[in-house]
Amino acid sequence: MSDHPSCIDISHWQGFPDFEEVAAQGVVACIMKATEGTSYIDPNRAANYINATAAGIACCTYHWIKPGNAAKQMEFYLSVVDPVGGERMVIDYEEDGLQLPDLLEAVEVLKADPRGLQVTVYSGHLLKEQLGIDCDDYLAENTDLWLAQYTTGTPSWPSGTYPHWTLWQYSESGEVDGIDDTNVDLNRFDGDNDELVRWISPGGVAPPKPPKPEPSEVVTVGIMAPENIGVLVTVNGDEVSERRGRRRRRLLIPRGPDLR
Protein backbone atom coordinates (compact mmCIF):
# COMPACT_ATOMS: atom_id res chain seq x y z
CA MET A 1 0.00 0.00 0.00
CA SER A 2 1.40 3.39 -0.99
CA ASP A 3 2.94 5.66 1.64
CA HIS A 4 1.64 8.60 -0.38
CA PRO A 5 -2.12 8.04 -0.58
CA SER A 6 -4.65 10.17 -2.38
CA CYS A 7 -6.43 11.19 0.87
CA ILE A 8 -5.01 12.49 4.17
CA ASP A 9 -6.55 14.00 7.29
CA ILE A 10 -4.99 16.73 9.42
CA SER A 11 -5.49 19.00 12.42
CA HIS A 12 -3.44 21.76 14.02
CA TRP A 13 -0.81 19.15 14.86
CA GLN A 14 0.26 19.22 11.21
CA GLY A 15 0.77 22.99 11.28
CA PHE A 16 0.37 24.82 7.99
CA PRO A 17 1.39 22.41 5.21
CA ASP A 18 2.78 23.42 1.83
CA PHE A 19 -0.24 22.16 -0.08
CA GLU A 20 1.35 22.66 -3.50
CA GLU A 21 3.98 20.15 -2.42
CA VAL A 22 1.36 17.91 -0.82
CA ALA A 23 -0.64 17.85 -4.05
CA ALA A 24 2.51 17.00 -5.99
CA GLN A 25 2.66 13.72 -3.98
CA GLY A 26 -0.68 12.66 -5.48
CA VAL A 27 -2.94 13.81 -2.64
CA VAL A 28 -6.31 14.89 -4.08
CA ALA A 29 -8.42 15.03 -0.89
CA CYS A 30 -8.00 16.20 2.69
CA ILE A 31 -10.27 16.04 5.75
CA MET A 32 -9.54 18.71 8.38
CA LYS A 33 -10.48 18.96 12.02
CA ALA A 34 -12.81 21.91 12.59
CA THR A 35 -14.18 21.63 16.12
CA GLU A 36 -14.32 19.59 19.33
CA GLY A 37 -16.93 19.53 22.06
CA THR A 38 -18.91 22.75 22.40
CA SER A 39 -16.12 25.34 22.39
CA TYR A 40 -12.88 24.24 20.75
CA ILE A 41 -12.08 25.52 17.24
CA ASP A 42 -9.03 24.20 15.41
CA PRO A 43 -6.95 27.37 14.87
CA ASN A 44 -5.39 26.21 11.58
CA ARG A 45 -8.41 24.87 9.74
CA ALA A 46 -9.64 28.04 8.04
CA ALA A 47 -6.28 28.97 6.51
CA ASN A 48 -5.45 25.38 5.62
CA TYR A 49 -8.82 24.90 3.94
CA ILE A 50 -8.27 27.93 1.71
CA ASN A 51 -4.71 26.96 0.82
CA ALA A 52 -5.50 23.31 0.15
CA THR A 53 -8.42 24.20 -2.09
CA ALA A 54 -6.26 26.68 -3.99
CA ALA A 55 -3.79 23.85 -4.61
CA GLY A 56 -6.54 21.73 -6.18
CA ILE A 57 -7.16 19.48 -3.15
CA ALA A 58 -10.82 18.74 -2.37
CA CYS A 59 -11.62 19.19 1.34
CA CYS A 60 -14.20 18.61 4.04
CA THR A 61 -14.16 18.81 7.85
CA TYR A 62 -14.73 16.74 10.97
CA HIS A 63 -15.90 17.27 14.54
CA TRP A 64 -14.41 15.36 17.49
CA ILE A 65 -17.52 14.46 19.45
CA LYS A 66 -17.41 14.09 23.24
CA PRO A 67 -19.87 12.22 25.47
CA GLY A 68 -23.11 14.14 26.14
CA ASN A 69 -24.62 17.28 24.65
CA ALA A 70 -24.45 15.85 21.13
CA ALA A 71 -27.03 18.27 19.72
CA LYS A 72 -25.23 21.32 21.12
CA GLN A 73 -21.94 20.01 19.75
CA MET A 74 -23.38 19.67 16.26
CA GLU A 75 -24.94 23.12 16.44
CA PHE A 76 -21.53 24.48 17.39
CA TYR A 77 -19.88 22.57 14.51
CA LEU A 78 -22.43 23.95 12.05
CA SER A 79 -21.99 27.50 13.32
CA VAL A 80 -18.21 27.36 12.88
CA VAL A 81 -18.06 25.66 9.48
CA ASP A 82 -21.22 27.25 8.03
CA PRO A 83 -21.45 24.54 5.36
CA VAL A 84 -22.68 25.02 1.83
CA GLY A 85 -25.48 22.94 0.39
CA GLY A 86 -24.65 19.25 0.21
CA GLU A 87 -21.36 19.60 2.08
CA ARG A 88 -19.88 16.47 3.63
CA MET A 89 -19.44 16.61 7.41
CA VAL A 90 -17.72 13.96 9.52
CA ILE A 91 -18.42 12.91 13.11
CA ASP A 92 -15.25 11.58 14.78
CA TYR A 93 -16.68 8.92 17.08
CA GLU A 94 -13.83 7.44 19.11
CA GLU A 95 -13.64 8.91 22.62
CA ASP A 96 -14.17 6.61 25.59
CA GLY A 97 -17.56 7.10 27.21
CA LEU A 98 -19.47 7.70 23.99
CA GLN A 99 -22.64 5.70 23.47
CA LEU A 100 -24.74 5.06 20.39
CA PRO A 101 -27.46 7.54 21.48
CA ASP A 102 -24.77 10.29 21.32
CA LEU A 103 -23.95 9.34 17.74
CA LEU A 104 -27.57 9.01 16.65
CA GLU A 105 -28.45 12.40 18.15
CA ALA A 106 -25.51 14.02 16.35
CA VAL A 107 -26.45 12.50 13.00
CA GLU A 108 -30.06 13.58 13.42
CA VAL A 109 -29.01 17.22 13.91
CA LEU A 110 -26.85 17.23 10.79
CA LYS A 111 -29.47 15.46 8.67
CA ALA A 112 -32.18 17.86 9.85
CA ASP A 113 -30.18 20.81 8.51
CA PRO A 114 -31.99 22.25 5.45
CA ARG A 115 -28.76 22.33 3.43
CA GLY A 116 -28.93 18.61 2.66
CA LEU A 117 -25.63 17.67 4.28
CA GLN A 118 -23.79 14.42 3.66
CA VAL A 119 -22.76 12.68 6.88
CA THR A 120 -19.86 10.29 7.48
CA VAL A 121 -19.01 8.51 10.73
CA TYR A 122 -15.33 8.02 11.60
CA SER A 123 -14.67 5.23 14.08
CA GLY A 124 -12.70 2.09 14.80
CA HIS A 125 -13.15 -0.50 17.52
CA LEU A 126 -15.65 1.59 19.52
CA LEU A 127 -18.40 1.55 16.90
CA LYS A 128 -17.64 -2.04 15.92
CA GLU A 129 -18.02 -3.20 19.52
CA GLN A 130 -21.20 -1.21 20.10
CA LEU A 131 -22.95 -2.23 16.89
CA GLY A 132 -21.73 -5.81 16.79
CA ILE A 133 -23.25 -7.79 13.94
CA ASP A 134 -26.58 -5.99 14.15
CA CYS A 135 -27.82 -3.45 11.62
CA ASP A 136 -28.70 0.03 12.78
CA ASP A 137 -31.13 1.06 10.06
CA TYR A 138 -30.86 4.78 10.77
CA LEU A 139 -27.08 4.85 10.48
CA ALA A 140 -27.18 2.58 7.44
CA GLU A 141 -29.59 4.88 5.62
CA ASN A 142 -28.10 8.23 6.63
CA THR A 143 -24.33 7.78 6.96
CA ASP A 144 -21.33 6.02 5.53
CA LEU A 145 -18.23 4.72 7.32
CA TRP A 146 -14.72 6.08 7.54
CA LEU A 147 -12.95 3.18 9.22
CA ALA A 148 -9.94 3.61 11.51
CA GLN A 149 -7.90 0.43 11.77
CA TYR A 150 -4.13 0.18 11.50
CA THR A 151 -3.36 -3.12 9.87
CA THR A 152 -1.61 -4.34 6.75
CA GLY A 153 -4.18 -7.08 6.31
CA THR A 154 -7.89 -7.03 5.64
CA PRO A 155 -9.70 -4.73 8.11
CA SER A 156 -12.84 -5.60 10.02
CA TRP A 157 -15.77 -3.29 10.68
CA PRO A 158 -19.47 -3.36 11.69
CA SER A 159 -20.58 -4.84 8.37
CA GLY A 160 -24.12 -5.47 9.59
CA THR A 161 -24.72 -1.71 9.38
CA TYR A 162 -22.12 -0.85 6.74
CA PRO A 163 -21.70 -3.57 4.08
CA HIS A 164 -18.63 -1.67 2.85
CA TRP A 165 -16.34 0.94 4.33
CA THR A 166 -16.02 4.09 2.23
CA LEU A 167 -12.73 5.41 3.56
CA TRP A 168 -10.13 3.45 5.52
CA GLN A 169 -7.54 5.17 7.74
CA TYR A 170 -4.90 2.47 7.67
CA SER A 171 -1.95 4.37 9.21
CA GLU A 172 -1.31 7.17 11.66
CA SER A 173 2.43 7.34 10.98
CA GLY A 174 2.72 8.35 7.34
CA GLU A 175 5.10 10.90 5.88
CA VAL A 176 4.07 13.35 3.17
CA ASP A 177 6.32 15.93 1.56
CA GLY A 178 5.10 19.40 2.43
CA ILE A 179 4.11 18.38 5.97
CA ASP A 180 7.21 18.57 8.14
CA ASP A 181 8.21 17.25 11.55
CA THR A 182 5.08 15.22 12.21
CA ASN A 183 3.34 12.04 11.14
CA VAL A 184 0.25 12.11 8.93
CA ASP A 185 -2.85 9.91 8.87
CA LEU A 186 -3.08 7.96 5.60
CA ASN A 187 -6.38 6.88 4.07
CA ARG A 188 -7.53 4.59 1.31
CA PHE A 189 -10.78 5.24 -0.60
CA ASP A 190 -13.01 2.45 -1.85
CA GLY A 191 -12.84 3.67 -5.45
CA ASP A 192 -10.66 5.70 -7.78
CA ASN A 193 -9.45 9.26 -7.32
CA ASP A 194 -12.23 10.81 -9.40
CA GLU A 195 -14.81 9.06 -7.24
CA LEU A 196 -12.95 10.18 -4.10
CA VAL A 197 -13.05 13.83 -5.16
CA ARG A 198 -16.77 13.61 -5.95
CA TRP A 199 -17.45 11.90 -2.62
CA ILE A 200 -15.67 14.54 -0.55
CA SER A 201 -17.09 17.50 -2.52
CA PRO A 202 -20.41 19.23 -1.72
CA GLY A 203 -23.29 17.44 -3.39
CA GLY A 204 -20.90 15.00 -5.03
CA VAL A 205 -19.83 17.60 -7.61
CA ALA A 206 -16.07 17.91 -8.05
CA PRO A 207 -14.76 21.49 -8.03
CA PRO A 208 -13.07 22.80 -11.19
CA LYS A 209 -9.33 22.30 -11.28
CA PRO A 210 -7.29 25.47 -10.82
CA PRO A 211 -5.99 26.82 -14.16
CA LYS A 212 -2.36 26.26 -15.03
CA PRO A 213 -0.33 29.45 -14.72
CA GLU A 214 0.73 31.15 -17.92
CA PRO A 215 4.49 31.11 -18.57
CA SER A 216 6.03 34.28 -17.17
CA GLU A 217 9.46 33.85 -18.74
CA VAL A 218 11.10 32.37 -21.81
CA VAL A 219 14.16 30.14 -21.62
CA THR A 220 16.50 30.29 -24.62
CA VAL A 221 18.27 27.01 -25.34
CA GLY A 222 21.08 26.71 -27.89
CA ILE A 223 21.83 23.28 -29.40
CA MET A 224 24.90 22.39 -31.50
CA ALA A 225 24.00 19.45 -33.70
CA PRO A 226 26.82 17.49 -35.38
CA GLU A 227 26.43 16.73 -39.08
CA ASN A 228 23.93 13.97 -39.90
CA ILE A 229 22.81 13.66 -36.23
CA GLY A 230 19.11 14.02 -35.54
CA VAL A 231 17.94 16.17 -32.63
CA LEU A 232 14.58 15.66 -30.91
CA VAL A 233 13.67 18.27 -28.28
CA THR A 234 10.98 17.71 -25.66
CA VAL A 235 9.88 19.91 -22.77
CA ASN A 236 7.97 18.35 -19.86
CA GLY A 237 7.30 15.32 -22.03
CA ASP A 238 5.92 17.27 -25.00
CA GLU A 239 7.78 17.29 -28.31
CA VAL A 240 8.89 20.77 -29.29
CA SER A 241 10.95 20.24 -32.41
CA GLU A 242 12.86 17.72 -34.48
CA ARG A 243 15.82 19.01 -36.53
CA ARG A 244 18.63 17.57 -38.61
CA GLY A 245 21.78 19.19 -39.98
CA ARG A 246 25.11 20.67 -39.14
CA ARG A 247 24.00 24.14 -38.12
CA ARG A 248 23.39 25.39 -34.61
CA ARG A 249 19.66 25.38 -33.90
CA ARG A 250 18.18 28.04 -31.61
CA LEU A 251 14.78 27.23 -30.07
CA LEU A 252 12.54 29.37 -27.90
CA ILE A 253 10.92 27.13 -25.28
CA PRO A 254 8.20 28.38 -22.87
CA ARG A 255 9.26 27.93 -19.27
CA GLY A 256 7.56 24.99 -17.58
CA PRO A 257 7.47 23.67 -14.01
CA ASP A 258 10.32 21.23 -14.61
CA LEU A 259 12.63 24.06 -15.70
CA ARG A 260 12.33 26.16 -12.54
Side-chain angles (χ1 to χ4, degrees):
M1 193 171 294
S2 172
D3 287 335
H4 295 296
S6 53
C7 182
I8 62 174
D9 60 278
I10 64 172
S11 69
H12 68 282
W13 294 111
Q14 281 70 46
F16 295 96
D18 181 341
F19 285 105
E20 295 287 349
E21 194 169 357
V22 171
Q25 308 307 302
V27 173
V28 300
C30 182
I31 305 175
M32 302 181 182
K33 183 175 182 177
T35 50
E36 179 177 334
T38 57
S39 61
Y40 177 80
I41 299 174
D42 190 292
N44 296 16
R45 190 267 312 176
N48 281 339
Y49 200 104
I50 292 171
N51 293 333
T53 303
I57 299 174
C59 302
C60 71
T61 62
Y62 73 88
H63 172 90
W64 179 293
I65 189 170
K66 304 181 78 63
N69 298 317
K72 290 184 178 179
Q73 292 186 62
M74 292 302 101
E75 291 166 2
F76 173 60
Y77 180 30
L78 289 169
S79 70
V80 171
V81 175
D82 191 19
V84 299
E87 186 164 331
R88 182 167 297 282
M89 308 192 81
V90 181
I91 302 169
D92 185 328
Y93 185 78
E94 61 177 298
E95 184 164 316
D96 290 342
L98 284 165
Q99 298 294 326
L100 282 176
D102 294 316
L103 178 59
L104 294 172
E105 182 178 336
V107 174
E108 287 172 356
V109 172
L110 295 183
K111 294 304 293 185
D113 189 275
R115 287 166 287 195
L117 304 175
Q118 304 176 86
V119 181
T120 294
V121 177
Y122 167 94
S123 193
H125 69 88
L126 179 64
L127 188 61
K128 183 172 66 172
E129 292 169 359
Q130 291 179 350
L131 286 174
I133 61 174
D134 297 333
C135 176
D136 186 293
D137 291 334
Y138 184 79
L139 291 177
E141 293 172 5
N142 291 282
T143 69
D144 60 2
L145 178 64
W146 175 11
L147 174 66
Q149 189 174 126
Y150 308 137
T151 177
T152 56
T154 301
S156 58
W157 65 95
S159 56
T161 298
Y162 301 103
H164 305 279
W165 50 263
T166 300
L167 193 65
W168 171 21
Q169 185 186 89
Y170 63 87
S171 175
E172 61 178 349
S173 56
E175 296 181 0
V176 176
D177 291 349
I179 303 178
D180 300 328
D181 302 324
T182 185
N183 291 327
V184 183
D185 294 334
L186 308 180
N187 301 279
R188 177 183 177 187
F189 183 72
D190 187 21
D192 61 31
N193 281 358
D194 289 340
E195 292 170 321
L196 166 59
V197 171
R198 287 195 295 271
W199 173 80
I200 207 171
S201 301
V205 178
K209 295 182 179 180
K212 294 182 179 180
E214 293 294 328
S216 58
E217 298 180 27
V218 172
V219 176
T220 301
V221 179
I223 300 175
M224 183 68 74
E227 185 177 358
N228 298 324
I229 297 297
V231 177
L232 176 64
V233 180
T234 65
V235 175
N236 301 332
D238 297 324
E239 182 178 328
V240 175
S241 179
E242 182 178 5
R243 303 291 179 89
R244 291 181 179 274
R246 70 183 71 178
R247 294 186 304 149
R248 184 181 181 185
R249 304 298 182 182
R250 195 165 182 269
L251 304 178
L252 293 179
I253 304 174
R255 181 177 181 179
D258 293 343
L259 296 177
R260 292 175 184 170

